[in-house]
Amino acid sequence: PYFYSAYIKEEDREKAVYDGDTIKNVNIKLGFGIEWQIPSIRLIGINSPEMRGSDRPKGEISRAFLEKILSEAGWQFYVKSY
């Protein structure tokens, strides 16, 4: 596996978390000054309620939880790929 430093730009933070298991506009640092922006990533092992239909109230709670985690981490995290 490979680990990459990733972050969300300040201008993208307001809409970065779609729901509790999807993050949008993720910037991944590939090394040597090269960055790649991915439109969205899904978190492995997490299946949060959807943001539409009858699950919406629970989806809003899970989105707020993920936003809180990312905010407390300074909108920086690691991405693991295979």
Side-chain angles (χ1 to χ4, degrees):
Y2 298 94
F3 294 89
Y4 300 97
S5 177
Y7 67 98
I8 307 296
K9 291 181 181 176
E10 190 171 345
E11 61 266 20
D12 292 329
R13 292 177 185 170
E14 186 176 325
K15 295 183 178 183
V17 179
Y18 175 72
D19 57 20
D21 59 13
T22 306
I23 306 172
K24 294 186 170 200
N25 298 321
V26 176
N27 298 280
I28 299 176
K29 297 179 181 181
L30 301 174
F32 302 105
I34 299 170
E35 292 189 7
W36 181 32
Q37 187 178 62
I38 297 179
S40 70
I41 62 170
R42 298 249 356 249
L43 303 177
I44 279 183
I46 298 176
N47 187 16
S48 70
E50 296 300 321
M51 290 300 298
R52 58 187 178 272
S54 61
D55 282 344
R56 185 174 179 94
K58 291 178 183 176
E60 290 174 350
I61 293 169
S62 64
R63 175 174 58 191
F65 183 73
L66 181 54
E67 284 175 339
K68 181 177 185 275
I69 290 171
L70 289 171
S71 177
E72 289 175 356
W75 296 91
Q76 299 179 30
F77 50 95
Y78 288 97
V79 173
K80 180 180 180 181
S81 69
Y82 297 89

XYZ file of all heavy atoms in Angstrom:
674
model
N 0.828 -1.203 0.000
C 0.000 0.000 0.000
C 0.868 1.260 0.000
O 2.014 1.240 0.431
C -0.803 -0.112 1.280
C -0.050 -1.047 2.151
C 0.726 -1.933 1.241
N 0.281 2.343 -0.466
C 0.934 3.639 -0.486
C 0.124 4.616 0.354
O -1.107 4.568 0.358
C 1.041 4.165 -1.916
C 1.866 3.289 -2.812
C 1.268 2.311 -3.603
C 3.249 3.419 -2.848
C 2.028 1.497 -4.418
C 4.021 2.599 -3.668
C 3.405 1.646 -4.444
O 4.163 0.841 -5.242
N 0.819 5.502 1.053
C 0.173 6.519 1.867
C 0.536 7.891 1.319
O 1.710 8.159 1.052
C 0.624 6.408 3.328
C 0.179 5.155 3.991
C 0.956 4.005 3.934
C -1.025 5.105 4.670
C 0.545 2.837 4.551
C -1.449 3.935 5.288
C -0.658 2.804 5.223
N -0.466 8.738 1.169
C -0.255 10.082 0.641
C -0.886 11.097 1.584
O -1.973 10.888 2.114
C -0.912 10.233 -0.740
C -0.375 9.287 -1.765
C -1.037 8.098 -2.056
C 0.798 9.572 -2.452
C -0.551 7.223 -3.011
C 1.300 8.699 -3.412
C 0.619 7.527 -3.678
O 1.103 6.666 -4.619
N -0.215 12.224 1.742
C -0.777 13.336 2.486
C -1.850 13.983 1.617
O -1.657 14.174 0.412
C 0.337 14.338 2.810
O -0.193 15.453 3.475
N -2.978 14.316 2.218
C -4.075 14.918 1.472
C -4.667 16.063 2.288
O -4.499 16.125 3.506
C -5.146 13.875 1.175
N -5.353 16.957 1.595
C -5.971 18.088 2.284
C -7.099 18.652 1.431
O -7.234 18.338 0.251
C -4.933 19.183 2.573
C -4.399 19.859 1.334
C -4.913 21.079 0.919
C -3.395 19.277 0.565
C -4.433 21.696 -0.228
C -2.907 19.889 -0.569
C -3.441 21.102 -0.964
O -2.968 21.704 -2.098
N -7.904 19.501 2.062
C -8.971 20.214 1.386
C -8.603 21.696 1.393
O -8.326 22.262 2.457
C -10.333 20.023 2.101
C -10.658 18.552 2.295
C -11.444 20.750 1.352
C -10.854 17.760 1.042
N -8.596 22.318 0.225
C -8.298 23.743 0.137
C -9.370 24.547 0.865
O -10.540 24.145 0.923
C -8.239 24.195 -1.324
C -7.066 23.656 -2.090
C -7.084 24.181 -3.512
C -5.917 23.612 -4.303
N -5.968 24.043 -5.713
N -8.966 25.689 1.394
C -9.889 26.526 2.167
C -11.151 26.874 1.387
O -12.258 26.825 1.921
C -9.178 27.799 2.623
C -9.981 28.583 3.627
C -9.208 29.716 4.257
O -7.967 29.752 4.157
O -9.865 30.573 4.857
N -10.998 27.185 0.100
C -12.172 27.574 -0.694
C -13.106 26.402 -0.995
O -14.242 26.607 -1.409
C -11.741 28.258 -2.001
C -10.912 27.397 -2.923
C -9.403 27.572 -2.748
O -8.962 28.059 -1.689
O -8.669 27.203 -3.671
N -12.655 25.169 -0.787
C -13.485 23.985 -1.052
C -14.111 23.396 0.217
O -14.911 22.463 0.135
C -12.646 22.896 -1.731
C -12.225 23.287 -3.135
O -12.974 24.035 -3.802
O -11.138 22.855 -3.567
N -13.761 23.907 1.371
C -14.170 23.277 2.633
C -15.668 23.319 2.893
O -16.219 22.389 3.464
C -13.418 23.917 3.803
C -11.949 23.585 3.747
C -11.172 24.263 4.829
N -9.745 23.979 4.637
C -8.783 24.565 5.298
N -9.069 25.468 6.221
N -7.529 24.252 5.053
N -16.337 24.378 2.480
C -17.758 24.514 2.767
C -18.589 23.374 2.174
O -19.558 22.928 2.768
C -18.278 25.856 2.254
C -19.700 26.136 2.648
C -20.167 27.511 2.212
O -19.360 28.454 2.214
O -21.351 27.625 1.882
N -18.178 22.883 1.001
C -18.927 21.819 0.323
C -18.114 20.535 0.184
O -18.453 19.670 -0.611
C -19.376 22.294 -1.059
C -20.357 23.441 -0.992
C -20.830 23.839 -2.355
C -21.845 24.958 -2.245
N -22.386 25.348 -3.537
N -17.064 20.391 0.987
C -16.169 19.240 0.846
C -16.797 17.934 1.299
O -16.537 16.884 0.732
C -14.868 19.480 1.612
N -17.618 17.981 2.325
C -18.216 16.752 2.852
C -19.624 16.618 2.302
O -20.506 17.403 2.627
C -18.222 16.751 4.395
C -18.880 15.479 4.923
C -16.810 16.885 4.937
N -19.812 15.609 1.449
C -21.142 15.391 0.874
C -22.043 14.680 1.880
O -23.162 15.091 2.133
C -21.062 14.589 -0.426
C -22.425 14.254 -0.965
C -23.213 15.243 -1.519
C -22.933 12.967 -0.879
C -24.489 14.957 -1.984
C -24.198 12.671 -1.341
C -24.975 13.664 -1.882
O -26.240 13.375 -2.327
N -21.554 13.590 2.420
C -22.260 12.868 3.472
C -21.201 12.264 4.387
O -20.039 12.644 4.309
C -23.234 11.829 2.904
C -22.585 10.801 2.003
O -21.354 10.621 2.077
O -23.312 10.150 1.236
N -21.569 11.354 5.237
C -20.636 10.827 6.223
C -19.571 9.903 5.694
O -18.669 9.504 6.431
N -19.615 9.558 4.401
C -18.584 8.670 3.848
C -18.017 9.140 2.507
O -17.312 8.408 1.834
C -19.110 7.237 3.723
C -20.340 7.105 2.836
O -20.668 8.066 2.119
O -20.968 6.045 2.862
N -18.298 10.389 2.120
C -17.808 10.921 0.852
C -17.218 12.316 1.044
O -17.876 13.187 1.600
C -18.944 11.000 -0.192
O -19.565 9.721 -0.300
C -18.413 11.424 -1.547
N -15.980 12.503 0.577
C -15.307 13.797 0.650
C -15.015 14.244 -0.777
O -14.511 13.471 -1.591
C -13.997 13.703 1.447
C -14.247 13.094 2.825
C -13.360 15.080 1.583
C -12.971 12.799 3.595
N -15.330 15.501 -1.084
C -15.137 16.028 -2.442
C -13.928 16.953 -2.513
O -13.529 17.549 -1.517
C -16.389 16.783 -2.884
C -17.592 15.879 -3.032
C -18.754 16.648 -3.598
C -19.854 15.665 -3.959
N -20.788 16.209 -4.908
N -13.397 17.088 -3.724
C -12.273 17.987 -4.017
C -11.075 17.752 -3.099
O -10.568 18.662 -2.458
C -12.719 19.452 -3.960
C -13.779 19.757 -4.990
O -13.711 19.266 -6.111
N -14.760 20.539 -4.615
N -10.628 16.515 -3.073
C -9.486 16.123 -2.249
C -8.188 16.356 -3.024
O -8.046 15.898 -4.154
C -9.593 14.631 -1.844
C -8.368 14.191 -1.071
C -10.864 14.401 -1.041
N -7.268 17.083 -2.421
C -5.957 17.346 -3.021
C -4.955 16.384 -2.413
O -4.770 16.364 -1.194
C -5.540 18.790 -2.755
C -6.503 19.761 -3.390
O -6.423 20.004 -4.574
N -7.432 20.277 -2.613
N -4.320 15.577 -3.261
C -3.366 14.574 -2.796
C -1.965 14.980 -3.224
O -1.727 15.287 -4.392
C -3.723 13.184 -3.354
C -5.105 12.773 -2.862
C -2.672 12.159 -2.963
C -5.600 11.474 -3.413
N -1.062 14.982 -2.255
C 0.341 15.302 -2.534
C 1.057 14.017 -2.945
O 1.205 13.101 -2.148
C 0.999 15.904 -1.296
C 0.387 17.223 -0.875
C 1.057 17.760 0.362
C 0.437 19.059 0.797
N 1.100 19.603 1.991
N 1.488 13.968 -4.210
C 2.121 12.771 -4.749
C 3.637 12.751 -4.563
O 4.278 11.745 -4.802
C 1.781 12.628 -6.236
C 0.288 12.528 -6.560
C 0.085 12.537 -8.067
C -0.311 11.295 -5.927
N 4.190 13.863 -4.139
C 5.635 13.967 -3.973
C 6.254 14.795 -5.080
O 5.638 15.018 -6.127
N 7.468 15.272 -4.835
C 8.200 16.084 -5.810
C 7.402 17.318 -6.247
O 7.478 17.755 -7.390
C 8.617 15.264 -7.027
C 9.468 14.080 -6.683
C 8.932 12.802 -6.705
C 10.795 14.244 -6.310
C 9.699 11.700 -6.372
C 11.570 13.152 -5.986
C 11.033 11.872 -6.012
N 6.581 17.863 -5.342
C 5.791 19.058 -5.652
C 4.594 18.811 -6.550
O 3.967 19.753 -7.024
N 4.256 17.559 -6.783
C 3.128 17.220 -7.652
C 1.892 16.947 -6.796
O 1.950 16.178 -5.839
C 3.449 15.986 -8.519
C 4.654 16.266 -9.406
C 2.231 15.590 -9.357
C 5.192 15.052 -10.113
N 0.796 17.609 -7.153
C -0.477 17.392 -6.468
C -1.533 17.005 -7.492
O -1.476 17.402 -8.654
C -0.910 18.657 -5.724
C -0.014 18.980 -4.562
C -0.551 20.097 -3.696
O -1.688 20.550 -3.907
O 0.189 20.516 -2.792
N -2.510 16.255 -7.017
C -3.590 15.790 -7.870
C -4.900 16.018 -7.127
O -5.037 15.594 -5.974
C -3.388 14.315 -8.169
C -4.397 13.661 -9.048
C -5.094 14.225 -10.079
C -4.820 12.300 -8.991
N -5.904 13.301 -10.665
C -5.761 12.102 -10.009
C -4.491 11.240 -8.181
C -6.383 10.887 -10.227
C -5.112 10.018 -8.402
C -6.039 9.852 -9.417
N -5.857 16.688 -7.762
C -7.157 16.890 -7.130
C -8.136 15.844 -7.649
O -8.345 15.704 -8.847
C -7.710 18.290 -7.383
C -8.982 18.527 -6.575
C -9.541 19.919 -6.743
O -9.915 20.308 -7.841
N -9.581 20.656 -5.658
N -8.703 15.113 -6.717
C -9.677 14.066 -7.042
C -11.072 14.616 -6.767
O -11.306 15.194 -5.703
C -9.421 12.808 -6.191
C -8.048 12.243 -6.528
C -10.503 11.775 -6.401
C -7.686 11.025 -5.722
N -12.013 14.445 -7.699
C -13.362 14.993 -7.499
C -14.044 14.490 -6.231
O -14.705 15.253 -5.538
C -14.125 14.546 -8.742
C -13.076 14.276 -9.764
C -11.868 13.820 -9.010
N -13.891 13.204 -5.907
C -14.473 12.690 -4.657
C -13.833 11.365 -4.282
O -13.368 10.626 -5.144
C -15.990 12.527 -4.774
O -16.335 11.478 -5.629
N -13.809 11.116 -2.980
C -13.343 9.823 -2.475
C -14.370 9.298 -1.481
O -15.085 10.063 -0.844
C -11.947 9.901 -1.804
C -11.964 10.813 -0.592
C -10.895 10.316 -2.796
C -10.694 10.735 0.233
N -14.446 7.978 -1.392
C -15.310 7.326 -0.408
C -14.436 6.702 0.654
O -13.359 6.188 0.357
C -16.144 6.225 -1.073
C -17.073 6.722 -2.130
C -18.561 6.673 -1.869
N -19.067 6.094 -0.678
C -19.753 4.949 -0.616
N -19.958 4.244 -1.702
N -20.231 4.524 0.512
N -14.891 6.754 1.868
C -14.143 6.198 2.986
C -14.444 4.710 3.108
O -15.609 4.305 3.182
C -14.504 6.924 4.281
C -14.288 8.442 4.257
C -14.756 9.056 5.572
C -12.841 8.783 3.984
N -13.398 3.903 3.117
C -13.541 2.446 3.203
C -14.087 2.050 4.575
O -13.687 2.599 5.596
C -12.186 1.764 2.952
C -11.929 1.686 1.480
C -12.096 0.402 3.576
C -10.661 0.968 1.119
N -14.998 1.123 4.583
C -15.521 0.576 5.829
C -16.586 1.418 6.488
O -17.050 1.096 7.579
N -16.988 2.523 5.852
C -18.033 3.388 6.411
C -19.179 3.442 5.413
O -18.985 3.710 4.237
C -17.494 4.809 6.696
C -16.382 4.740 7.726
C -18.622 5.729 7.147
C -15.712 6.045 8.012
N -20.372 3.195 5.891
C -21.569 3.281 5.066
C -22.566 4.154 5.811
O -23.350 3.677 6.611
C -22.148 1.897 4.785
C -23.294 1.961 3.799
O -23.479 2.961 3.113
N -24.079 0.905 3.742
N -22.499 5.450 5.556
C -23.357 6.388 6.283
C -24.707 6.529 5.586
O -24.842 6.207 4.403
C -22.673 7.749 6.396
O -22.613 8.367 5.144
N -25.701 7.040 6.304
C -27.010 7.281 5.685
C -26.904 8.282 4.538
O -26.057 9.180 4.551
C -27.838 7.864 6.831
C -27.154 7.416 8.077
C -25.704 7.341 7.729
N -27.767 8.129 3.561
C -27.753 8.999 2.384
C -28.347 10.369 2.714
O -29.066 10.530 3.689
C -28.528 8.347 1.238
C -27.916 7.049 0.740
C -26.506 7.224 0.221
O -26.232 8.244 -0.438
O -25.671 6.336 0.471
N -28.052 11.342 1.851
C -28.531 12.703 2.047
C -29.860 12.953 1.326
O -30.285 14.094 1.193
C -27.478 13.698 1.548
C -26.251 13.753 2.411
S -26.600 14.246 4.102
C -27.247 15.886 3.852
N -30.504 11.924 0.897
C -31.790 12.086 0.238
C -32.770 11.042 0.786
O -32.369 10.045 1.370
C -31.643 11.968 -1.276
C -31.048 10.677 -1.734
C -30.765 10.709 -3.249
N -30.142 9.485 -3.680
C -28.840 9.264 -3.673
N -28.020 10.189 -3.253
N -28.355 8.110 -4.080
N -34.030 11.319 0.598
C -35.052 10.392 1.053
C -35.244 10.422 2.559
O -34.887 11.387 3.242
N -35.765 9.345 3.083
C -36.092 9.278 4.510
C -34.851 9.228 5.407
O -34.946 9.485 6.605
C -36.973 8.056 4.795
O -36.283 6.867 4.452
N -33.679 8.922 4.836
C -32.431 8.876 5.616
C -31.789 10.245 5.798
O -30.792 10.368 6.509
C -31.409 7.955 4.939
C -31.694 6.497 5.177
O -32.481 6.192 6.089
O -31.127 5.670 4.449
N -32.329 11.277 5.173
C -31.699 12.601 5.190
C -31.362 13.114 6.598
O -30.253 13.591 6.815
C -32.527 13.623 4.436
C -31.817 14.966 4.357
C -32.559 15.965 3.482
N -31.843 17.214 3.471
C -30.955 17.558 2.565
N -30.671 16.736 1.578
N -30.348 18.729 2.622
N -32.271 13.056 7.584
C -31.914 13.560 8.918
C -30.686 12.856 9.516
O -29.801 13.509 10.078
C -33.165 13.299 9.755
C -34.291 13.286 8.768
C -33.690 12.662 7.530
N -30.594 11.546 9.343
C -29.421 10.806 9.833
C -28.189 11.140 8.990
O -27.078 11.196 9.500
C -29.692 9.305 9.809
C -30.718 8.866 10.821
C -30.974 7.385 10.723
C -32.060 6.958 11.681
N -32.381 5.542 11.541
N -28.381 11.357 7.684
C -27.289 11.736 6.805
C -26.687 13.075 7.195
O -25.470 13.267 7.144
N -27.530 14.022 7.611
C -27.042 15.328 8.047
C -26.208 15.208 9.321
O -25.206 15.902 9.478
C -28.199 16.289 8.239
C -28.841 16.692 6.915
C -30.088 17.535 7.070
O -30.608 17.673 8.205
O -30.563 18.063 6.043
N -26.609 14.321 10.208
C -25.839 14.090 11.440
C -24.477 13.490 11.110
O -23.450 13.925 11.633
C -26.629 13.183 12.414
C -27.860 13.920 12.925
C -25.740 12.716 13.566
C -28.850 13.043 13.669
N -24.453 12.493 10.225
C -23.173 11.861 9.872
C -22.267 12.831 9.111
O -21.051 12.833 9.293
C -23.388 10.569 9.074
O -23.989 10.822 7.842
N -22.850 13.694 8.268
C -22.057 14.702 7.561
C -21.428 15.679 8.559
O -20.244 16.005 8.457
C -22.910 15.461 6.549
C -22.131 16.592 5.883
C -22.885 17.274 4.797
N -24.141 17.828 5.268
C -25.081 18.299 4.465
N -24.925 18.278 3.165
N -26.189 18.788 4.964
N -22.212 16.140 9.519
C -21.694 17.072 10.527
C -20.563 16.432 11.330
O -19.575 17.095 11.668
C -22.820 17.528 11.448
N -20.694 15.142 11.618
C -19.654 14.435 12.370
C -18.344 14.380 11.584
O -17.267 14.679 12.119
C -20.126 13.026 12.732
C -19.149 12.250 13.556
C -18.942 12.566 14.890
C -18.435 11.211 13.007
C -18.037 11.853 15.666
C -17.519 10.485 13.761
C -17.329 10.807 15.095
N -18.416 14.038 10.296
C -17.208 13.981 9.465
C -16.604 15.373 9.288
O -15.388 15.535 9.332
C -17.511 13.343 8.108
C -16.338 13.195 7.140
C -15.165 12.450 7.784
C -16.791 12.502 5.863
N -17.447 16.400 9.116
C -16.944 17.773 9.019
C -16.188 18.166 10.285
O -15.140 18.808 10.210
C -18.084 18.753 8.782
C -18.611 18.745 7.376
C -19.820 19.642 7.182
O -20.516 19.976 8.180
O -20.100 20.001 6.028
N -16.706 17.778 11.440
C -16.064 18.085 12.721
C -14.692 17.411 12.804
O -13.701 18.032 13.193
C -16.945 17.635 13.875
C -16.401 17.926 15.251
C -17.396 17.501 16.320
C -16.935 17.899 17.696
N -16.046 16.949 18.310
N -14.627 16.150 12.420
C -13.357 15.410 12.455
C -12.330 16.082 11.535
O -11.187 16.305 11.929
C -13.566 13.936 12.044
C -14.339 13.190 13.126
C -12.234 13.251 11.767
C -14.777 11.805 12.717
N -12.732 16.401 10.302
C -11.810 17.030 9.361
C -11.384 18.419 9.827
O -10.214 18.790 9.721
C -12.443 17.104 7.970
C -12.579 15.788 7.233
C -13.407 15.963 5.966
C -11.221 15.211 6.899
N -12.320 19.165 10.361
C -12.013 20.510 10.853
C -11.001 20.454 11.995
O -10.031 21.222 12.018
C -13.297 21.202 11.311
O -13.014 22.463 11.852
N -11.211 19.542 12.920
C -10.292 19.397 14.054
C -8.907 18.946 13.602
O -7.915 19.222 14.274
C -10.859 18.429 15.086
C -12.050 19.010 15.837
C -12.701 18.023 16.791
O -12.287 16.838 16.845
O -13.640 18.438 17.497
N -8.833 18.277 12.457
C -7.549 17.814 11.905
C -6.936 18.870 10.972
O -5.952 18.577 10.293
C -7.737 16.500 11.170
N -7.527 20.055 10.922
C -7.014 21.096 10.035
C -7.263 20.807 8.568
O -6.546 21.301 7.716
N -8.263 19.989 8.282
C -8.629 19.592 6.923
C -7.488 18.876 6.215
O -7.358 18.907 5.000
C -9.126 20.789 6.106
C -10.386 21.357 6.664
C -10.488 22.364 7.591
C -11.727 20.928 6.408
N -11.802 22.593 7.906
C -12.592 21.728 7.189
C -12.279 19.953 5.580
C -13.966 21.584 7.167
C -13.659 19.813 5.567
C -14.482 20.619 6.357
N -6.636 18.208 7.006
C -5.526 17.420 6.466
C -5.666 15.982 6.951
O -6.062 15.745 8.091
C -4.189 17.994 6.937
C -3.962 19.405 6.475
C -2.649 19.957 6.972
O -1.697 19.215 7.177
N -2.596 21.265 7.169
N -5.310 15.039 6.098
C -5.435 13.622 6.445
C -4.559 12.815 5.496
O -3.899 13.366 4.618
C -6.914 13.172 6.351
C -7.594 13.545 5.074
C -7.667 12.653 4.029
C -8.172 14.811 4.916
C -8.300 13.002 2.847
C -8.803 15.164 3.743
C -8.867 14.253 2.703
N -4.548 11.516 5.666
C -3.778 10.626 4.797
C -4.717 9.757 3.978
O -5.765 9.330 4.447
C -2.832 9.730 5.609
C -1.676 10.488 6.184
C -1.712 10.952 7.487
C -0.552 10.774 5.414
C -0.653 11.674 8.025
C 0.506 11.488 5.934
C 0.440 11.936 7.245
O 1.487 12.661 7.750
N -4.306 9.478 2.756
C -5.042 8.592 1.859
C -4.168 7.354 1.647
O -2.974 7.466 1.375
C -5.327 9.287 0.505
C -5.938 8.305 -0.483
C -6.220 10.490 0.711
N -4.784 6.191 1.779
C -4.077 4.929 1.559
C -4.591 4.334 0.253
O -5.803 4.222 0.047
C -4.348 3.977 2.723
C -3.680 2.637 2.601
C -4.035 1.787 3.829
C -3.413 0.438 3.794
N -3.796 -0.361 4.970
N -3.685 3.970 -0.632
C -4.082 3.329 -1.882
C -3.279 2.048 -2.072
O -2.251 1.844 -1.449
C -3.870 4.270 -3.067
O -2.500 4.460 -3.299
N -3.759 1.202 -2.966
C -3.115 -0.079 -3.241
C -2.719 -0.161 -4.691
O -3.312 0.370 -5.546
C -4.051 -1.236 -2.900
C -4.403 -1.299 -1.448
C -5.484 -0.617 -0.933
C -3.614 -2.043 -0.576
C -5.797 -0.677 0.407
C -3.928 -2.106 0.774
C -5.021 -1.423 1.253
O -5.318 -1.487 2.584
